[in-house]
Amino acid sequence: MHIRACCNDSSLLSKIDVGTGLAMGNACDEVRAVADEITLDNNSDGIAESLYRHLPEVFTN
């Protein structure tokens, strides 16, 4: 899983095999276009929401 938000991060999401490329909800359009998924923005705990969704077994103990 790779989470990015800045416009200069789009090449990282499109060139590296990171599994799931996530863009923050407040990411620029360029990053959002190459991401596999778009999560909530940083003010809405987007990273935490994605981790809970993708790694539920970690948070159920």
Side-chain angles (χ1 to χ4, degrees), residues 5-60:
C6 298
C7 286
N8 62 347
D9 294 334
S10 62
S11 63
L12 290 173
L13 287 176
S14 60
K15 293 181 182 176
I16 301 173
D17 181 16
V18 295
T20 301
L22 296 168
M24 296 297 293
N26 55 306
C28 69
D29 291 339
E30 185 178 336
V31 171
R32 292 166 61 100
V34 296
D36 297 311
E37 294 181 29
I38 300 169
T39 189
L40 302 174
D41 65 28
N42 58 321
N43 292 322
S44 300
D45 299 324
I47 292 175
E49 189 275 332
S50 292
L51 291 174
Y52 292 146
R53 190 165 23 93
H54 287 276
L55 303 169
E57 67 279 358
V58 173
F59 301 99
T60 57

